[in-house]
Amino acid sequence: MGCDVLILGIETATAQVGCAIGAHEGVLTSFHAAKGRRHAETLVPAIDFIARQAGIELDEIGAVAVDVGPGLFTGLRVGVITAKAMATALRVPVIGVSSLDLLAFPARWTPRRIVSVVDAARGEVFYAFYRQVPGGVQRLSEHRVGRPEELCSEILATGEECLAVGDGALRYADALEKLIKVDIGDAGWAHPSAGSLVQLAHAQALREEFVNPWELTPVYLRKADAEINWQTRERSAATPAPPFLA
Amino acid sequence: MSDADVLLGIETSCDETAAAVVARGVDVRSSVVSSQVDLHARFGGVVPEIASRAHVELLGPVVAEALVESGVGGEDLDAVAATVGPGLVGSLLVGLAAAKALALVWGVPFVGVNHLEAHLYASFIDEPALEPPMVALLVSGGHTLLVAVDDHGRYRLLGSTIDDAAGEAFDKVARFLGLGYPGGPAIDRTALTGDPTAIDFPRAMLDQGYDFSFSGLKTAVVTHVRRHPDVATDDVAASFQQAVVDVLVAKTLRAARHAGVSRVCIGGGVAANSLLRERLLDACAGEGFECFLPSRSMCTDNAAMVAAAGWWRLKNDGPTGLDAGAQPNLRLPVA
Ligand SMILES: [Zn+2]
């Protein structure tokens, strides 16, 4: 696999659905829709469309890259299963990229610390910290899920000026803006982009950081509710059994 | 379209991840079903989020196995069919998205399939000689429908449940009796040693129309067991099962008589129930109806029935757009 590999990028981790095809010279064609029909309806027709517009046959694709999250579960599953199916049918490898890494990437020119924040619904956010390094960004923390207040105290603990990007940063802008040293990235940086995805994936392809399509799985960072409830119930012996035939 | 049409079917509407390769809607080249029952058993029912996650992990290997077993390469397929509804939306989306992606890469049509229609087409798979018109009883954990099939794709709804689905009643009663999940096979097994005449449970709306009601029966089981704590569980299971089957068989036969058809078929998970199969077969024989019972593995959710229904839909209506979405509340298209 040379450096001229064509990469199809699939981006469905947030409310936005996107796809792009890129090569070493950058993004060749892309599509994004942040509003409108849902991911499953839009994604495959969009891939078909961008490939046709760019005059690319799908069998020229050398790798499929996908945002594996964290993000909205249903969207992630649509993207990940589409990537798995396309890569398997094309007999090419897949590359998984983190949504938070993707959000930080376009902000790589800032000297400030970057915090990527994805809305996790239910009053929580997924987040991670980054700093600028030559050619990109470096992740400084694990991916975390927590309430906006927890994010705020972590930002305070850095003692540095921060740029917060992502739909989670916009949603909880009120809380974040109370912290003096924090700026909020504008709406243009609200969602991970499929363009950033093919750029980051291209670097990974050069390092041959591929995944077997079957092993690709979304990064949920949160168990299914039923499992959480189950564990809580197991731990607390005092909880009565559920009533019959509720 | 030639008669050699070979379809890949994908089914992920509930807790079975399935893929199958079927030629001309009847010739099953492979049918692979990966059940998630063990993942959901401790919760006593299907947990949607857990089901969706499992489909993402299982679907790739299941499709690969179906292709290998069939000896058909992806590029040699003529279309890809997937269930679009009814079912759990998060689960449906996984199979649907995969099917559309495969169809796009292989350059073949995609066809979206109604899960209920797929259950009807399970009968055609095992009985290539079967032709409409017929009366079909569709009984599963989510559905209880009595349908007149006038022709391929032409249905008249005769009756349906006004409360619980038949399979739901099995699950709830099994849970109440401590027989575990899923309830259908558990009741079927336990009833083998019980006396079906031990308790005279109500047969709701037996003589009225074609609609069904099972929630009163479930309540009657609970009431009886609370009043008679020493009652033998196998007698309760057998008597409950007998009551359900009596109603299902009586209404199906009455529908067949009134519709003036000569053929009766069943589908859905509850159609795997031993007593229902035996009684329906006997009753049909007694009145001169031809009775079509798909094999048990074709009654429970599988992808061969999806490929079969997909083949008929493709022939009649053509392909489905790649912009199709999941339709969790899809109904059988009735006249
Ligand atoms: Zn079913």
Side-chain angles (χ1 to χ4, degrees):
Chain A
M1 187 149 317
C3 62
D4 56 347
V5 58
L6 275 182
I7 295 176
L8 167 68
I10 292 174
E11 169 51 66
T12 57
T14 65
Q16 174 172 278
V17 55
C19 56
I21 298 172
H24 69 284
E25 64 263 45
V27 178
L28 305 175
T29 174
S30 70
F31 167 94
H32 292 91
K35 188 175 185 299
R37 303 193 72 193
R38 302 200 325 197
H39 299 357
E41 285 88 335
T42 309
L43 181 60
V44 168
I47 293 169
D48 189 26
F49 177 78
I50 61 166
R52 282 173 198 276
Q53 294 307 307
I56 293 165
E57 297 289 335
L58 288 176
D59 59 15
E60 296 173 51
I61 302 283
V64 177
V66 62
D67 182 339
V68 292
L72 299 175
F73 295 167
T74 301
L76 280 180
R77 278 192 280 267
V78 167
V80 166
I81 197 71
T82 301
K84 278 173 181 269
M86 294 199 63
T88 308
L90 290 165
R91 299 196 174 89
V92 300
V94 288
I95 299 163
V97 182
S98 140
S99 60
L100 299 175
D101 291 4
L102 288 173
L103 273 177
F105 185 67
R108 63 190 175 279
W109 313 115
T110 180
R112 284 173 294 181
R113 190 159 292 210
I114 304 159
V115 55
S116 296
V117 190
V118 166
D119 187 357
R122 295 185 214 164
E124 290 189 319
V125 287
F126 301 118
Y127 60 93
F129 290 89
Y130 298 81
R131 71 158 177 233
Q132 178 191 45
V133 292
V137 291
Q138 180 188 25
R139 190 160 70 219
L140 303 172
S141 70
E142 293 295 299
H143 289 357
R144 295 199 182 105
V145 58
R147 303 189 58 78
E149 304 84 74
E150 296 169 57
L151 167 62
C152 287
S153 40
E154 285 209 42
I155 291 175
L156 279 178
T158 67
E160 289 186 38
E161 292 191 5
C162 280
L163 174 64
V165 292
D167 60 356
L170 289 167
R171 177 160 183 182
Y172 297 105
D174 288 353
L176 292 169
E177 275 166 347
K178 284 188 195 132
L179 312 175
I180 311 157
K181 290 179 170 177
V182 176
D183 265 349
I184 310 287
D186 71 22
W189 289 354
H191 305 286
S193 95
S196 298
L197 174 59
V198 292
Q199 284 179 274
L200 279 182
H202 193 261
Q204 282 182 239
L206 294 181
R207 298 193 297 269
E208 302 206 357
E209 290 173 11
F210 298 121
V211 193
N212 179 327
W214 290 7
E215 280 153 21
L216 187 74
T217 181
V219 175
Y220 293 109
L221 289 191
R222 199 153 64 187
K223 291 190 173 197
D225 283 349
E227 281 187 284
I228 297 168
N229 297 341
W230 178 264
Q231 287 169 340
T232 317
R233 196 163 55 198
E234 291 283 277
R235 261 185 248 122
S236 132
T239 310
F244 279 132
L245 307 172
Chain B
M1 292 270 152
S2 77
D3 268 357
D5 290 345
V6 180
L7 270 78
L8 170 69
I10 291 177
E11 157 63 36
T12 61
S13 67
C14 191
D15 62 340
E16 318 280 5
T17 313
V21 175
V22 179
R24 297 178 314 285
V26 290
D27 177 9
V28 180
R29 304 282 175 83
S30 66
S31 179
V32 179
V33 180
S34 173
S35 174
Q36 306 174 9
V37 155
D38 295 345
L39 294 178
H40 301 282
R42 63 182 167 140
F43 304 107
V46 177
V47 181
E49 177 62 22
I50 292 174
S52 304
R53 291 184 183 195
H55 287 306
V56 173
E57 313 232 326
L58 296 170
L59 189 55
V62 165
V63 168
E65 196 181 333
L67 290 174
V68 169
E69 258 184 41
S70 71
V72 177
E75 291 81 357
D76 303 323
L77 289 165
D78 296 300
V80 181
T83 305
V84 296
L88 302 169
V89 65
S91 292
L92 289 167
L93 284 173
V94 175
L96 178 64
K100 293 199 289 186
L102 293 173
L104 177 68
V105 172
W106 290 330
V108 298
F110 162 73
V111 52
V113 170
N114 181 316
H115 183 83
L116 299 170
E117 189 168 58
H119 273 303
L120 291 179
Y121 275 86
S123 297
F124 293 97
I125 290 173
D126 280 345
E127 302 283 353
L130 177 60
E131 280 293 332
M134 61 199 193
V135 159
L137 173 69
L138 260 183
V139 269
S140 70
H143 308 278
T144 304
L145 302 177
L146 201 46
V147 182
V149 181
D150 295 329
D151 200 349
H152 286 291
R154 286 187 47 222
Y155 313 111
R156 272 179 299 128
L157 183 64
L158 302 175
S160 57
T161 182
I162 60 168
D163 40 55
D164 292 351
E168 203 178 344
F170 273 89
D171 279 340
K172 287 178 174 174
V173 167
R175 178 150 48 127
F176 174 71
L177 295 175
L179 300 176
Y181 171 86
I187 298 260
D188 201 337
R189 235 178 0 254
T190 310
L192 285 175
T193 53
D195 174 5
T197 63
I199 309 150
D200 188 23
F201 285 127
R203 272 79 168 151
M205 304 168 31
L206 187 61
D207 304 311
Q208 290 163 254
Y210 300 117
D211 284 338
F212 302 90
S213 167
F214 295 109
S215 82
L217 172 57
K218 171 197 74 192
T219 310
V221 170
V222 174
T223 309
H224 185 90
V225 172
R226 291 207 173 130
R227 279 200 196 129
H228 308 88
D230 300 329
V231 69
T233 300
D234 55 355
D235 285 348
V236 178
S239 301
F240 159 77
Q241 180 175 261
Q242 188 69 50
V244 174
V245 168
D246 280 352
V247 176
L248 293 175
V249 171
K251 297 210 177 205
T252 305
L253 267 287
R254 181 140 39 87
R257 262 178 251 130
H258 288 190
V261 298
S262 62
R263 304 183 185 100
V264 170
C265 71
I266 57 173
V270 178
N273 179 272
S274 323
L275 184 69
L276 176 58
R277 297 171 77 85
E278 190 187 307
R279 292 296 306 277
L280 192 66
L281 210 54
D282 286 352
C284 284
E287 298 196 31
F289 292 114
E290 270 186 282
C291 183
F292 296 87
L293 301 176
S295 62
R296 282 185 169 77
S297 61
M298 282 297 147
C299 290
T300 48
D301 286 353
N302 65 85
M305 67 184 196
V306 174
W311 185 69
W312 285 102
R313 276 290 160 197
L314 191 58
K315 268 208 323 182
N316 291 328
D317 304 342
T320 308
L322 291 177
D323 61 347
Q327 298 178 64
N329 302 313
L330 189 63
R331 290 160 179 264
L332 196 67
V334 291

